[in-house]
Amino acid sequence: MSSDRPLRRVKGSYGSHPSQFVEYFGDTGVCIGLIHGGYWRDRYGLDLMDELALDLVARGYRVANVEYRRLGQGVHWPTLLDDVLM
């Protein structure tokens, strides 16, 4: 991949909140879904997985890096879990 940015970002792809989106890396191969850690805290986002996504693309995979709502964004447990279960 010539860039360290995702090929495309799909906002609102599974909900209306600004943090409900997916970034897609790569355009060929089997697609692997990534869900970042971070204890559902606002300061940890999907960018934690960028290096892993780029490594997987270099190995011939496509990657869907999923963002979700986190604490500090006006939502609370167990609503946060709903995004990850989707």
Side-chain angles (χ1 to χ4, degrees):
M1 218 164 113
S2 61
S3 169
D4 62 353
R5 295 306 321 137
L7 289 178
R8 62 189 168 119
R9 174 182 276 196
V10 181
K11 290 189 177 237
S13 58
Y14 67 93
S16 60
H17 192 276
S19 289
Q20 291 174 306
F21 65 88
V22 180
E23 289 186 343
Y24 292 94
F25 293 78
D27 56 1
T28 60
V30 174
C31 187
I32 296 175
L34 299 179
I35 301 174
H36 68 84
Y39 316 102
W40 281 278
R41 293 185 184 145
D42 191 33
R43 65 182 172 183
Y44 300 106
L46 83 165
D47 59 320
L48 291 171
M49 304 303 274
D50 284 353
E51 293 300 318
L52 177 56
L54 293 171
D55 182 67
L56 289 168
V57 168
R59 295 169 189 263
Y61 296 97
R62 287 181 296 149
V63 176
N65 191 12
V66 180
E67 185 59 280
Y68 52 85
R69 296 174 288 179
R70 298 174 312 281
L71 293 173
Q73 297 179 337
V75 291
H76 303 282
W77 189 262
T79 305
L80 302 165
L81 185 60
D82 292 341
D83 288 1
V84 179
L85 293 176
M86 296 179 115

